[in-house]
């Protein structure tokens, strides 16, 4: 008798989808469809803010994938954000359509992350985190040497000027929405695959994962490149909304700080947590962003409070208290009676 048949005969079942998760997926699909029509009904300011929200979700999801699912904590992910914007400028200057340049630049950045991973993934823990910050600073210095960029003076994505304001705003909005949906979908499917299970095994215990045949470096590289590509997409989209490129802005560690904040508040290692954290960060920025330095102090204090008293983040706490999952990437072992034991693959 197979193990699954034995479990079933004892009233025990293994499930991956719940009723709430199926409803959540359907609701998300419906929301995405409705959001496609937003430029027809919302004003310019609202469209710009919604575009920013989509970019924040991408950033949070990519950092959560790297650190929350892969155990690779980095404080230098701004390198990919900056390179995504930089290569967009470079490709557009070479004559490529600026909107095409956004994604071509992300592909170039993702390709560059492959050789970078050859030595960065040999580092562990704090060495990897600081090493990524060093790489970001080095990339910043190298971009400053490009005469097109004019040092810290920067330049603009001039080729966008051929489009009128309304067309440009709507196009960037749709590109950001599509990129967010595609990256979240790709990440969700990846984490529910064998590779996703391997990534979480590496995060939990790299030596144990190696002992059962997991290809550690290759698996880490897959996640590293995906995160690089996604963050580069976000950098290109942010450039399109701002149109101006200054290296010190795009290569600032502030971007990684925002990613960390969103993931810590929402729930690290939880697919839903990154999305929730991005929405909370967006709301806080919208309401209190004009407070200047006090806004940044408030973000730091909030992150510390969550680290001390809600280390699981908001979604992690909801899941713990109510046994509630919307987008599970693992399995649930369901026991007969009122009690359930769940575990992530």
């Amino acid at each position: 008798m197979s193990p699954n048949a034995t479990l079933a005969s004892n009233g025990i079942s293994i499930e991956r989808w719940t009723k709430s998760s199926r409803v959540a997926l359907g609701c998300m699909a419906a929301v995405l469809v409705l959001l496609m029509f937003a430029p027809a009904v919302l004003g310019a300011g609202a469209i710009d803010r919604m575009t920013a929200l989509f970019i924040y979700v991408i950033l949070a999801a990519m950092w959560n994938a790297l650190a929350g699912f892969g155990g690779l904590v980095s404080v230098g992910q701004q390198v990919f954000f900056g390179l995504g914007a930089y290569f967009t400028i470079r490709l557009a200057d070479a004559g490529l359509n600026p909107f095409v340049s956004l994604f071509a630049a992300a592909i170039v950045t993702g390709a560059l992350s492959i050789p970078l991973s050859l030595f960065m993934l040999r580092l562990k823990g704090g060495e990897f985190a600081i090493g990524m910050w060093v790489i970001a600073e080095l990339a910043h210095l190298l971009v400053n040497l490009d005469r097109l960029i004019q040092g810290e003076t920067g330049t603009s994505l001039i080729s966008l000027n051929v489009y009128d304001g309304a067309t440009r705003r709507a196009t960037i909005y749709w590109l950001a929405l599509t990129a967010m949906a595609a990256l979240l979908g790709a990440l969700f499917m990846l984490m529910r695959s064998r590779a996703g299970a391997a990534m979480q095994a590496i995060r939990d215990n790299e030596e144990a994962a190696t002992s059962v045949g997991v290809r550690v470096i290759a698996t880490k590289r897959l996640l590293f490149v995906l995160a690089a590509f996604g963050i580069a997409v976000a950098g290109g989209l942010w450039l399109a909304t701002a149109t101006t490129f200054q290296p010190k802005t795009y290569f600032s560690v502030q971007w990684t700080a925002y990613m960390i904040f969103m993931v810590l508040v929402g729930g690290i290692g939880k697919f839903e947590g990154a999305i929730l954290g991005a929405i909370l960060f967006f709301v806080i920025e919208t309401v209190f962003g004009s407070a200047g330095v006090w806004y940044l102090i408030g973000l730091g204090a909030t992150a510390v409070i969550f680290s001390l008293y809600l280390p699981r983040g908001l979604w992690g706490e909801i899941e713990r208290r109510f046994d509630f999952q919307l987008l599970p990437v693992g399995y649930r072992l369901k026991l007969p009676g009122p009690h359930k034991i769940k575990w992530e693959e």
Side-chain angles (χ1 to χ4, degrees):
M1 182 179 292
S2 68
N4 286 341
T6 301
L7 289 174
S9 65
N10 292 327
I12 301 173
S13 63
I14 297 175
E15 59 183 22
R16 197 163 208 186
W17 289 103
T18 63
K19 183 181 294 185
S20 59
S21 63
R22 292 189 179 91
V23 171
L25 200 61
C27 289
M28 287 183 65
V31 169
L32 288 174
V33 172
L34 290 175
L35 287 173
M36 292 293 293
F37 299 98
V41 296
L42 297 180
I47 291 301
D48 287 341
R49 292 305 299 152
M50 291 297 292
T51 302
L53 172 59
F54 301 153
I55 294 172
Y56 290 154
V57 171
I58 293 173
L59 291 175
M62 293 300 103
W63 196 88
N64 187 46
L66 192 68
F69 293 128
L72 295 168
V73 177
S74 169
V75 293
Q77 293 305 98
Q78 67 271 18
V79 62
F80 303 121
F81 189 83
L83 287 177
Y86 168 69
F87 285 123
T88 299
I89 288 282
R90 259 293 166 197
L91 292 171
D93 183 70
L96 192 64
N97 179 282
F99 296 124
V100 176
S101 296
L102 300 178
F103 297 99
I107 293 173
V108 172
T109 303
L112 285 177
S113 73
I114 297 175
L116 178 63
S117 70
L118 295 178
F119 58 92
M120 288 308 301
L121 292 180
R122 297 182 182 277
L123 304 177
K124 296 182 180 180
E127 292 179 347
F128 175 79
I130 300 302
M132 286 303 301
W133 175 80
V134 172
I135 292 296
E137 291 301 303
L138 178 60
H140 180 187
L141 293 174
L142 291 175
V143 167
N144 272 344
L145 298 177
D146 189 338
R147 292 185 178 181
L148 175 65
I149 304 304
Q150 306 176 69
E152 293 298 356
T153 301
T155 187
S156 299
L157 192 57
I158 302 172
S159 54
L160 278 179
N161 293 335
V162 300
Y163 301 94
D164 66 87
T167 300
R168 182 172 63 208
R169 183 175 291 107
T171 302
I172 296 169
Y173 171 90
W174 284 320
L175 288 176
L177 177 62
T178 301
M180 178 191 70
L183 287 168
L184 287 178
L187 179 60
F188 186 65
M189 290 188 290
L190 175 63
M191 297 315 303
R192 289 169 63 88
S193 69
R194 292 176 63 89
M199 291 169 191
Q200 294 174 76
I202 294 169
R203 174 199 62 192
D204 295 338
N205 191 316
E206 186 170 321
E207 288 73 20
T210 303
S211 69
V212 295
V214 173
R215 299 172 59 194
V216 172
I217 296 298
T219 304
K220 285 184 177 181
R221 182 174 296 118
L222 176 60
L223 203 53
F224 186 83
V225 173
L226 174 62
F229 173 80
I231 292 173
V233 169
L237 288 167
W238 193 270
L239 170 66
T241 61
T243 68
T244 58
F245 175 78
Q246 290 180 302
K248 65 181 178 183
T249 298
Y250 285 81
F251 286 94
S252 171
V253 72
Q254 166 184 298
W255 291 105
T256 297
Y258 287 164
M259 297 179 215
I260 295 172
F261 175 86
M262 289 185 282
V263 173
L264 284 180
V265 170
I268 188 168
K270 303 296 180 183
F271 192 89
E272 305 93 332
I275 300 172
L276 177 59
I279 294 172
L280 289 173
F281 175 74
F282 171 77
V283 172
I284 292 171
E285 182 189 58
T286 302
V287 176
F288 302 107
S290 60
V293 68
W294 289 106
Y295 159 68
L296 297 176
I297 293 173
L299 286 181
T302 302
V304 170
I305 291 171
F306 268 81
S307 297
L308 291 174
Y309 300 105
L310 286 174
R312 297 171 178 263
L314 284 178
W315 189 260
E317 194 63 22
I318 290 172
E319 188 176 289
R320 184 184 71 84
R321 287 176 177 269
F322 303 105
D323 190 23
F324 185 63
Q325 289 182 313
L326 292 182
L327 298 170
V329 296
Y331 293 91
R332 180 193 299 263
L333 181 62
K334 187 176 181 181
L335 302 177
H339 303 292
K340 294 177 181 178
I341 299 175
K342 59 182 181 178
W343 49 279
E344 294 295 324
E345 180 184 10

